[in-house]
Structure formats: C-alpha cells, structure tokens
Amino acid sequence: MSDEPGPAENAENPKSAEPSGVDLARVALRAAKEQARARGDAAQQKRQARRGGGLRSGARADGRDPMAFGAAINRLITERGWETPAAVGGVMGRWPQIVGEDVAKHCEPEKYDEDERVLVVRCDSTAWATNLRLLAPQLVARLNEDLGHGAVKLIKVNGPGGPPRRYGPLRAPGSTGPGDTYG
C-alpha cells in the first residue's frame, strides 16, 4: 500500500496537494542548469578580458548571437516555470481530439487554475454537464497521461449560464425583475 491519497481523496480536498518529487526535481534541475550557465559565461568573460579585449564578435556562436523565436519562447517558458500552464493551453487548443468531436461541440474548457490544478469546463446544456461529470474521472486520467502526472486533479463542470440581465427604460434601478414586487 502507498501513503499517497487516492483519487477520491484528491477530488474532495484539492488544496492539500503539495509539489511532488517530480516537480521539485524539475525546479532543482532548472536552478542547477542556470547556475552552471552563469559560471560558464563568467569564466568565458574572464578569458576574453585576459586576452586584451572585452566581448568581441567571432566565428563561433556565443551568448550574444540572435536566437530563433521558438527557442526564445521555450527558454522563457522554462525559466519562468510555465511548463504546466503552457501544456494545459495546448490541451485547450486540442480539446476536440482529446474528448471527441461530439463532446467538444457541447462542452468547452474555460480556464485552468494552476494552484489548485482544476480545469473548469462549461457545457451548453445541463444534460451535457451531467454527462461530462460522469466522464470526468476518465478525462482526468487522459489529461494526466498527456500532461504529466498530477497536472489536472479535478474537472469542475459548469452548466449553461442564465440569460443576460437586461436593463431597460422600464426597470427600476436595483430591481431584480418581476420577482421583487411580490416578495
């Protein structure tokens, strides 16, 4: 038996989640790479200063060369620790392939809460909301296969929103509609 809480416990108490060993290892590896890169850059600058010149252009690549846009974005995502939100954003773009065309026509992801690892999905009818609530455990498993273990702990399903409130010339300010007349 393991000491980790099961899926039912995680669904009931999503705030108890702390960074897992994998997340801590990623953070430590990223910090070690940055420190090594900084030490290497400092040593290279010392060697160049000893040779009688500051930074000079050369035939070989160095830190001053322009970087490809994709590489710059990937570096920024890694440095800022945005891997999970970026991956979830990719999932939102591929929603129909993940859940199927039929479900995607009626349900769409709205937002992802990175701290609580909750994906909020809005459905266009209460019947589809009920259907998606029944499918939620399988969707969480499928999303975690794609994103990495523990990226999504819970799917919160919202039904359709009510009609927008209309404010017109025959409404009293602060009124809630016809219901406020009779109690």
Side-chain angles (χ1 to χ4, degrees), residues 53-72:
L55 295 175
R56 287 185 269 173
S57 180
R60 293 195 175 35
D62 64 6
R64 298 172 295 135
D65 289 340
M67 183 182 288
F69 185 70

Side-chain angles (χ1 to χ4, degrees), residues 108-176:
E108 66 181 33
E110 281 190 334
K111 65 180 179 178
Y112 174 71
D113 184 2
E114 184 181 1
D115 296 331
E116 296 188 19
R117 298 180 185 210
V118 174
L119 180 65
V120 179
V121 178
R122 175 151 323 264
C123 297
D124 62 1
S125 71
T126 54
W128 276 102
T130 302
N131 188 21
L132 197 66
R133 283 186 191 104
L134 294 173
L135 292 174
Q138 289 93 0
L139 284 177
V140 168
R142 191 177 310 161
L143 289 169
N144 284 331
E145 282 177 19
D146 195 7
L147 300 173
H149 179 68
V152 177
K153 295 199 177 197
L154 181 68
I155 294 180
K156 181 178 178 187
V157 181
N158 292 332
R165 291 184 60 169
R166 290 179 278 148
Y167 297 98
L170 301 177
R171 297 247 179 210
S175 115
T176 58

Side-chain angles (χ1 to χ4, degrees), residues 79-91:
E79 286 175 354
R80 302 287 170 109
W82 295 339
E83 289 96 350
T84 302
V88 171
V91 164

Side-chain angles (χ1 to χ4, degrees), residues 29 31 76 109:
L29 178 62
L76 180 67

